[in-house]
Amino acid sequence: MSTPIRFFYRGAVHEVSGVAPTQTVLQHLREDLHCTGTKEGCAEGDCGACTVVVGSLEADGLQLKAVNACIQFTPTLDGKALFTVEDLQQADGALHPVQQALVECHGSQCGFCTPGFAMSLWGMYLKQECVKQEGACAPARGEIDDALSGNLCRCTGYRPIIDAARRMGELPRVDFDRDALADRLRTLQREAGTVYSFQGQTFHAPRTLDELVAARAAHPDAVLLAGSTDVGLWVTKQMRELQDIIYLGHVRELKSVEERDGAIGIGAGVTLQDAYAAVCRHYPRELGELWQRFASLPIRNAGTLGGNVANGSPIGDSMPWLIALGSELVLRGPDGERSLPLEDFYLGYQQKDLRAGEFVKGLRVPLPRSSSTSKLAFRTYKLAKRFDQDISAVCAAFALELDDEGVVRKARIAFGGMAATPKRAPAAEAALKGQAWDEAALKAAMTALAGDYTPLSDMRASSTYRMQTAQNLLRRFWLETRLDNPLPLEAVNAFAVHLDTAA
């Protein structure tokens, strides 16, 4: 029996049935509800015209996050709350401070992109603790840039919109009743998994790990759906017909983050934003920029680290640093759990070491190890045509264990964008191991990289560019971590001031 979709919308519980499981939230809003404030631009989660805010009950309480409605499937809203630009208007007809600030600062021209900007700003407004206090409070420029990283229209230029982001905190504040929303959402929570069906398509939503194992065994060919930041494009861009879908977003055991036995355990259902936040507490300098540059905030709010790893894209930004740190992948199937080093998971392009009925349960990321006889030198770098929301041409991660005399005890080097899979550099690692971390060893390792990879040419970069920049990134790593006169961040990174402001 098909279970209707229920979510909180416009002050009431909204129930949906009779639509395809792959209908997007944007389609439901515009075509079924005729709620057209939310716009369609790219239909792939890039432009931000469709930005909405979704509320959900998590283990740590109510979460409100901006996401892209154009790639989220309607059944994923079950048990949640959906807010669109129409919700910003106050009961007396007044504009919300976010909207009023955009008006006062002339942050709209044609207006098509403005609802998306307003919802991104509202997401930031809700996060700002300062809006609960009396008086003016302006968010930092870095925080504004991050909140707007998924909104790409520039018909007014960004300056008026950034002015509006500062101005909205100066206007009379409008409180959001989080407790009331949490109470309403509690009435929508389901104890057991559900199945939603329409015209031969089925959407399975297990609630527990055991239910997920059973669903996977019963439907081995089903598409596993987490954040929909990749699968959503299969439908909106490739026009694929998906028959069976198993949604991971309600499985409680996949959403845990815990530190134990020298590692951070991250469930496959933990969002990219939360996963990077957890790891960056221990590797702030090493991963801070990559975290900020990974897609956009709405994508990080929806996508998961487990999904990024399971997807196995050769240009995925998470895998190089996970591999360089020696992370382990935890797989679950009908025969129980098994673990393996992440680099062993990728057998070839889009080929993975997955047995029948298995899925990614989570990852174990090693914590920094302190020792009186050695230290870890670790960095990550991303090369792309834009700072924000762009796919990497090359993504690099370097991790060296140096003894107290500066000799390389262990070396782990991994790249994305250089091969058919995220891949280590065994020749370069061998050239460094046992050598003093000096320029002679660096040059030998740079030469050895040419034997580790045969990169392709495509629209993002030529093979020559990829190899040269990969070698140059290794040199930059040496400049930052050499024992004699290491260069500070501002000497090697043009965005250093911006990154400091964002932090």
Side-chain angles (χ1 to χ4, degrees), residues 33-81:
L33 301 179
H34 307 293
C35 185
T36 56
T38 307
K39 306 303 183 185
E40 178 175 358
C42 66
E44 60 186 42
D46 275 342
C47 74
C50 69
T51 305
V52 297
V53 170
V54 172
S56 62
L57 285 179
E58 306 296 343
D60 56 352
L62 178 68
Q63 292 190 4
L64 294 157
K65 295 182 176 182
V67 300
N68 301 113
C70 69
I71 53 175
Q72 294 298 313
F73 298 153
T74 302
T76 64
L77 291 177
D78 190 66
K80 301 176 183 179

Side-chain angles (χ1 to χ4, degrees), residues 320-391:
W321 67 262
L322 286 167
I323 290 172
L325 287 177
S327 301
E328 286 188 341
L329 195 61
V330 181
L331 304 175
R332 174 68 187 269
D335 298 326
E337 289 184 9
R338 67 184 177 105
S339 300
L340 73 164
L342 179 57
E343 63 258 38
D344 294 342
F345 181 59
Y346 304 111
L347 306 178
Y349 180 69
Q350 294 299 303
Q351 297 177 343
K352 310 170 191 77
D353 182 6
L354 274 176
R355 300 170 185 170
E358 278 190 332
F359 54 86
V360 175
K361 180 187 175 185
L363 296 113
R364 286 179 51 80
V365 182
L367 291 167
R369 298 178 299 275
S370 58
S371 170
S372 59
T373 60
S374 65
K375 69 174 183 177
L376 177 69
F378 171 50
R379 292 290 189 276
T380 58
Y381 305 106
K382 172 172 179 163
L383 296 182
K385 294 180 180 180
R386 294 195 304 255
F387 181 86
D388 286 313
Q389 199 180 356
D390 201 8
I391 296 174

Side-chain angles (χ1 to χ4, degrees), residues 79-157:
K80 301 176 183 179
L82 174 65
F83 297 94
T84 67
V85 69
E86 287 87 353
D87 292 293
L88 295 189
Q89 186 180 39
Q90 304 306 293
D92 62 358
L95 296 178
H96 188 278
V98 166
Q99 298 168 305
Q100 186 63 41
L102 284 167
V103 171
E104 293 182 6
C105 297
H106 307 286
S108 177
Q109 187 166 312
C110 79
F112 185 85
C113 66
T114 306
F117 274 102
M119 293 308 293
S120 291
L121 291 175
W122 189 58
M124 184 175 69
Y125 190 92
L126 293 174
K127 290 180 182 178
Q128 283 285 312
E129 291 297 326
C130 63
V131 301
K132 296 183 179 180
Q133 304 170 1
E134 295 296 336
C137 181
R141 172 62 187 267
E143 186 177 5
I144 297 171
D145 290 348
D146 195 40
L148 299 178
S149 60
N151 299 88
L152 298 187
C153 183
R154 291 175 174 81
C155 60
T156 63

Side-chain angles (χ1 to χ4, degrees), residues 153-164:
C153 183
R154 291 175 174 81
C155 60
T156 63
Y158 264 26
R159 196 265 309 156
I161 302 169
I162 291 167
D163 290 345

Side-chain angles (χ1 to χ4, degrees), residues 79-353:
K80 301 176 183 179
L82 174 65
F83 297 94
T84 67
V85 69
E86 287 87 353
D87 292 293
L88 295 189
Q89 186 180 39
Q90 304 306 293
D92 62 358
L95 296 178
H96 188 278
V98 166
Q99 298 168 305
Q100 186 63 41
L102 284 167
V103 171
E104 293 182 6
C105 297
H106 307 286
S108 177
Q109 187 166 312
C110 79
F112 185 85
C113 66
T114 306
F117 274 102
M119 293 308 293
S120 291
L121 291 175
W122 189 58
M124 184 175 69
Y125 190 92
L126 293 174
K127 290 180 182 178
Q128 283 285 312
E129 291 297 326
C130 63
V131 301
K132 296 183 179 180
Q133 304 170 1
E134 295 296 336
C137 181
R141 172 62 187 267
E143 186 177 5
I144 297 171
D145 290 348
D146 195 40
L148 299 178
S149 60
N151 299 88
L152 298 187
C153 183
R154 291 175 174 81
C155 60
T156 63
Y158 264 26
R159 196 265 309 156
I161 302 169
I162 291 167
D163 290 345
R166 294 180 171 127
R167 172 64 177 153
M168 66 184 188
E170 301 171 354
L171 297 172
R173 61 190 174 92
V174 172
D175 292 326
F176 183 84
D177 195 339
R178 296 170 182 265
D179 292 338
L181 177 60
D183 289 341
R184 295 299 296 271
L185 292 184
R186 288 188 188 97
T187 67
L188 296 178
Q189 303 311 297
R190 306 182 192 270
E191 293 300 321
T194 59
V195 177
Y196 172 81
S197 300
F198 180 73
Q199 294 184 348
Q201 293 180 293
T202 306
F203 187 95
H204 305 265
R207 256 59 181 181
T208 68
L209 194 60
D210 288 340
E211 288 179 348
L212 173 55
V213 172
R216 188 58 169 163
H219 306 280
D221 296 325
V223 172
L224 295 181
L225 177 71
S228 199
T229 55
D230 186 51
V231 174
L233 275 68
W234 297 0
V235 175
T236 64
K237 293 301 178 181
Q238 299 176 15
M239 308 302 173
R240 289 169 58 174
E241 292 285 340
L242 306 183
Q243 298 304 312
D244 283 310
I245 298 172
I246 300 175
Y247 180 52
L248 311 181
H250 293 308
V251 180
R252 293 179 285 272
E253 294 95 330
L254 298 185
K255 295 188 174 185
S256 64
V257 177
E258 60 177 358
E259 296 181 13
R260 187 175 63 186
D261 301 328
I264 308 173
I266 301 175
V270 176
T271 65
L272 286 159
Q273 184 71 357
D274 291 342
Y276 270 83
V279 178
C280 280
R281 281 195 286 270
H282 301 279
Y283 299 101
R285 176 187 169 95
E286 296 87 348
L287 284 172
E289 179 182 342
L290 189 63
W291 175 17
Q292 184 181 355
R293 297 186 64 191
F294 192 114
S296 66
L297 182 59
I299 293 295
R300 296 197 303 270
N301 281 340
T304 66
L305 184 61
N308 193 226
V309 167
N311 183 30
S313 169
I315 49 175
D317 287 343
S318 297
M319 286 76 85
W321 67 262
L322 286 167
I323 290 172
L325 287 177
S327 301
E328 286 188 341
L329 195 61
V330 181
L331 304 175
R332 174 68 187 269
D335 298 326
E337 289 184 9
R338 67 184 177 105
S339 300
L340 73 164
L342 179 57
E343 63 258 38
D344 294 342
F345 181 59
Y346 304 111
L347 306 178
Y349 180 69
Q350 294 299 303
Q351 297 177 343
K352 310 170 191 77
D353 182 6

